[in-house]
Amino acid sequence: MAAQTTEGIRLSALCPKFLHTNSTSHTWPFSAVAELIDNAYDPDVGAKQIWIDQTVVNGQLSLTFTDNGNGMTLDKLHKMLSFGFSDKVAVQGHVPVGLYGNGFKSGSMRLGKDAIVLTKNDSAMHVGMLSQTFLEAVNAEQVIVPIISFNKKRQVVNTPSSDVNLQAILGHSLLNSEKDLLAELDAIIGKKGTRIIIWNLRRDKNGKSEFDFTTDKYDIRIPEEFDGSFRKGYKKQERMEHVAPDSDYSLRVYCSILYLKPRMQIVLRGQKVQTQLVSKNLAHIEKDVYRPKSISHKAVKITFGYNCRNKEHYGIMMYHKNRLIKAYVKVGCQLKANNMGVGVVGVIECNYLKPTHNKQDFDYTNDYRLTLAAVGEKLNDYWNEMKLQKNTLSSVPVEDEQKRPDQNWAQCDSCLKWRKLPDAMGKLPSKWYCHMNPDPQFRDCNVPEEPEDDDEITHSTYEKTHKKRQVTVS
Amino acid sequence: MAAQTTEGIRLSALCPKFLHTNSTSHTWPFSAVAELIDNAYDPDVGAKQIWIDQTVVNGQLSLTFTDNGNGMTLDKLHKMLSFGFSDKVAVQGHVPVGLYGNGFKSGSMRLGKDAIVLTKNDSAMHVGMLSQTFLEAVNAEQVIVPIISFNKKRQVVNTPSSDVNLQAILGHSLLNSEKDLLAELDAIIGKKGTRIIIWNLRRDKNGKSEFDFTTDKYDIRIPEEFDGSFRKGYKKQERMEHVAPDSDYSLRVYCSILYLKPRMQIVLRGQKVQTQLVSKNLAHIEKDVYRPKSISHKAVKITFGYNCRNKEHYGIMMYHKNRLIKAYVKVGCQLKANNMGVGVVGVIECNYLKPTHNKQDFDYTNDYRLTLAAVGEKLNDYWNEMKLQKNTLSSVPVEDEQKRPDQNWAQCDSCLKWRKLPDAMGKLPSKWYCHMNPDPQFRDCNVPEEPEDDDEITHSTYEKTHKKRQVTVS
């Protein structure tokens, strides 16, 4: 086992079993899917679209992830099939989500036992395989990753070891001939992009897929549970006592809120995901500011508002570098069993915190706990103020009113920029472009986005009269 | 970067940054400590004692973990410094906790940036280093792990690469001479055992250690939080609305319940941890049975009882192969804000479930959710029955009565066997041995333990008269 480096010091080795070990942090399958979406989204790939499909390859149920990003060089593909190599850097203000160099491995091996990656760019095409079934079949002592390249003439690039790599891929993947490989490379529309096929998908002890592909043919869902005695909708673990938001069990809904500012279209089973600008989709929006000690009290914006769709889905949406980490986290008065804070959603981007291994939680530090406590207090302020302002005007509690989002935003299907629209535009067509904008100033894909009015806010946008009263009374 | 195997297929590589990535699943520092304890406990090592200490090595604050287990061969040490190699098997009914081959890496790299492992057995002594500081200093592209061996004459075993390995260790660890290394090997009392030293311990942004070593000099604690405006005891994330049990912030208390049946003594900062037989430390004990579909309805025992020490610490203790995974999980009526189920502790060993990457949770499968639902129903049964039986006799609610454990057990300090003692023995001496047993049948370390009366139970040990009444009434 003792592979040594040229310098004579042993390499730390990777046992094939580690592929499973490393995937066990994804307790929720959509968290594995999100890792693969992040990879396409990040600025080094910079895909404008990613297509997620369920399909059958060579008789086997498979998941495919195809993007039209930059594709990969041979070296980059090898790093993708290795552990911890992340040299992602921000490009033109687009900050990468990936930071651990582990997303593809933990994500793909959580969803299935085997994965093949096909990638192409202007100069070449490469195919690599990460397969637990292959490693078992050849009794591999360490994780080996067969990789081959095709040249522009669509021929395998000959090297001393290309044959053994090619035979490993053809013999142990679902693609059993060079023709099959080229066909999948051709499935990447355009000149550049990457396609991932995952097979031997996870099944339960009865051989049932962990996903429900049939209830909605444009969605991938986590099935309801049925045990003879009870049936209930899937909930994430932390929901226990609460109503589960649909993002817990519908991949389509989860994808729609995965990024705070979506910059890439996700096409799920042929149909575009209508992304939401979460913080712009609320009613009675107010902003507040939290100043974490750990970043020298620099202001971090929190947006509060009421969920217009379902008042039962409430809590804090916590993002990190644009990526959703935790959804609908109850804080402040929402933690009490007294119906306070119902319907109120808060949105915060916590770039100063550190996500955990599976990017579904933050490292549980004092910084994190202080954030939750502070956001809880600010949510209480917002709730009390809204109660004071709105309930004097109406007999219906503010959370039960019919509400519409304060603002109306649309994303151009061509340039993917977001445009603010006037009220009462009615339902938009399923494809919307900048040239349809009623506002001539922004009726062109070449015009930059309207700057956010509040990127630099330093104080809360509303007066906390409720607090003043308390002070006066006491 | 392209290290190739002899067969010509590339190895998946390990970037030094992955050491940190892999450790991020431990959001709670004691979960990292537990991994190192598990390694000593497991049957391949079979330590009778492990000593955990905070010390200063060469001017640097360090944590040490020293066991008197079997020590390691060179190959085993290399596997320990690699990823995913776990060939642990049960020995004489002692089932290993370790299953992922990742505990040392994720645990040590969570606690500090650098670790050195010193191990000895009858034939040789070996020293290996896993150090992020070293890898950064030499600009390593992959994780390399310097290892050297000493022969019986206490001399470094010469190999073509022993010098470069030795220089790496002496130049980049806290042990800067062969003499220092030998002194630490000598700190392993006896002929066999392993000693791990971790340094560059994790600190917060203000340079403060994440542990409180001063409040109790025989404990390692997670400090209370202080932010000027509020101070409160540390709680694990899932506690939110509940009182935090002391096992959340005291390593001594956590160690005392880490194993369902403790077989190894843990000596924390010089003082033995008084292990608890959790399921025998309760009052009004009754047993129930759950039959998971996934293991063909085989009976799994659940022990219910009242916590005699603090009625605020209640919920289910979920073990897996003897190791605590989740503590005080609220189920059934305990989830409602109505004071029902207060004080009731349940204990279950869920060997049919799969722990996650950090061994602090179970994979969130249907099996797991069904378990929680079933245990919740059975807890409700127990609670209702106790209310019915006890409250007719007394005006004090059963959870508020002064209680003593139903049974009295002691562990022999020599053979580590557990012995049942008669009631009213009074306080035991701090060291207790089999020869002090009032029962002559078990007054000898050579006598096997009393068999558990209930290992094979098939039905609940009490009659659910409460349920019968309901049926009669309705």
Side-chain angles (χ1 to χ4, degrees), chain A residues 32-42 45-53 64-69 80 187-189 193-196 198 251-252 255 258-259 263-273 275 416:
Chain A
V33 173
E35 296 278 7
L36 301 176
I37 301 176
D38 286 344
N39 279 346
Y41 173 88
D42 271 347
V45 177
K48 280 183 76 173
Q49 271 92 22
I50 183 170
W51 291 265
I52 303 174
D53 286 291
T64 63
F65 298 79
T66 312
D67 71 61
N68 57 7
M80 182 185 181
I188 305 165
I189 298 157
T194 298
R195 180 167 168 87
I196 297 167
I198 300 172
L251 184 58
R252 179 166 290 277
C255 286
L258 185 58
Y259 301 105
R263 296 281 177 208
M264 174 178 73
Q265 273 184 359
I266 302 171
V267 183
L268 179 56
R269 301 184 77 186
Q271 203 171 77
K272 190 175 79 173
V273 171
T275 47
L416 305 183

Side-chain angles (χ1 to χ4, degrees), chain B residues 275-294:
Chain B
T275 47
Q276 298 176 35
L277 272 178
V278 178
S279 59
K280 298 202 162 107
N281 232 323
L282 305 168
H284 306 320
I285 288 179
E286 295 293 350
K287 278 142 200 163
D288 209 332
V289 162
Y290 169 51
R291 297 178 175 279
K293 214 169 102 182
S294 63

Side-chain angles (χ1 to χ4, degrees), chain A residues 69-77 118-126 150-152 185 188 190-194:
Chain A
N70 292 326
M72 284 180 278
T73 60
L74 185 60
D75 182 60
K76 203 168 167 209
L77 176 59
L118 307 108
T119 188
K120 66 184 182 188
N121 59 24
D122 299 326
S123 54
M125 305 195 284
H126 312 284
F150 286 92
N151 61 24
K152 283 197 168 178
L185 280 161
I188 305 165
K191 286 186 179 162
K192 298 188 296 183
T194 298

Side-chain angles (χ1 to χ4, degrees), chain B residues 30 125 175 178 216 243 265 443 460 468:
Chain B
F30 292 169
M125 306 196 282
L175 309 171
E178 291 181 41
D216 180 344
V243 176
Q265 274 184 358
R443 202 181 288 156
S460 83
K468 281 194 186 162

Side-chain angles (χ1 to χ4, degrees), chain A residues 1-20:
Chain A
M1 200 192 81
Q4 303 218 341
T5 61
T6 44
E7 298 82 16
I9 300 180
R10 283 177 182 78
L11 283 171
S12 179
L14 262 175
C15 179
K17 279 188 210 155
F18 189 71
L19 296 177
H20 170 70

Side-chain angles (χ1 to χ4, degrees), chain A residues 1-5 7-18 20-28 74-75 78-79 81-87 99-102 110 130 134 141-147 161 164-165 168 202 205-206 222-223 225-227 229-230 232 234-238 240-242 293-295 326 329-331 335-337 352 354-358 361-370 372-373, chain B residues 1-5 7-18 20-28 74-75 78-79 81-87 99-102 110 130 134 141-147 161 164-165 168 202 205-206 222-223 225-227 230 232 234-238 240-242 293-295 326 329-331 335-337 352 354-358 361-370 372-373 377:
Chain A
M1 200 192 81
Q4 303 218 341
T5 61
E7 298 82 16
I9 300 180
R10 283 177 182 78
L11 283 171
S12 179
L14 262 175
C15 179
K17 279 188 210 155
F18 189 71
H20 170 70
T21 300
N22 183 52
S23 77
T24 55
S25 68
H26 292 297
T27 55
W28 180 53
L74 185 60
D75 182 60
H78 183 211
K79 283 181 173 165
L81 300 173
S82 297
F83 287 77
F85 294 90
S86 175
D87 37 21
L99 68 165
Y100 289 141
N102 193 34
R110 166 62 186 76
L130 186 69
F134 159 66
E141 285 195 342
Q142 301 195 43
V143 178
I144 51 177
V145 287
I147 300 178
S161 58
V164 60
N165 281 272
R202 188 194 269 223
K205 280 162 184 159
N206 308 315
I222 302 178
E225 283 150 18
F226 184 60
D227 181 49
S229 58
F230 72 101
K232 55 179 184 179
Y234 176 88
K235 283 182 179 194
K236 285 176 78 175
Q237 179 141 22
E238 60 270 28
M240 294 287 260
E241 295 126 285
H242 303 292
K293 213 169 103 183
S294 63
I295 49 169
K326 301 186 82 167
V329 180
K330 306 279 179 286
V331 298
L335 289 168
K336 307 256 159 63
Y352 56 96
K354 288 241 162 60
T356 57
H357 198 260
N358 62 6
D361 205 344
F362 289 103
D363 196 15
Y364 193 56
T365 57
N366 198 15
D367 252 11
Y368 174 69
R369 295 187 286 274
L370 291 173
L372 283 191
Chain B
M1 201 193 78
Q4 303 218 341
T5 60
E7 298 81 17
I9 301 180
R10 283 177 184 78
L11 283 172
S12 178
L14 261 176
C15 178
K17 280 188 210 154
F18 189 71
H20 170 70
T21 300
N22 182 53
S23 76
T24 56
S25 67
H26 292 297
T27 55
W28 180 53
L74 185 60
D75 182 61
H78 184 211
K79 284 182 172 162
L81 300 173
S82 295
F83 287 77
F85 294 90
S86 174
D87 37 21
L99 67 167
Y100 289 141
N102 192 35
R110 166 64 185 76
L130 186 70
F134 159 65
E141 284 196 343
Q142 300 196 43
V143 178
I144 50 176
V145 286
I147 300 178
S161 58
V164 61
N165 281 273
R202 188 194 268 223
K205 281 163 182 154
N206 307 315
I222 301 177
E225 284 150 16
F226 184 61
D227 181 51
F230 71 100
K232 57 178 182 177
Y234 176 89
K235 282 183 181 193
K236 283 176 80 175
Q237 180 143 18
E238 61 269 27
M240 295 287 260
E241 296 127 284
H242 302 291
K293 214 169 102 182
S294 63
I295 50 168
K326 302 186 82 168
V329 180
K330 305 279 180 286
V331 298
L335 289 168
K336 307 256 158 63
Y352 56 96
K354 288 241 163 59
T356 56
H357 198 259
N358 63 8
D361 206 342
F362 289 103
D363 197 15
Y364 193 55
T365 58
N366 199 13
D367 253 11
Y368 174 69
R369 295 187 286 275
L370 291 173
L372 283 190
E377 279 192 37

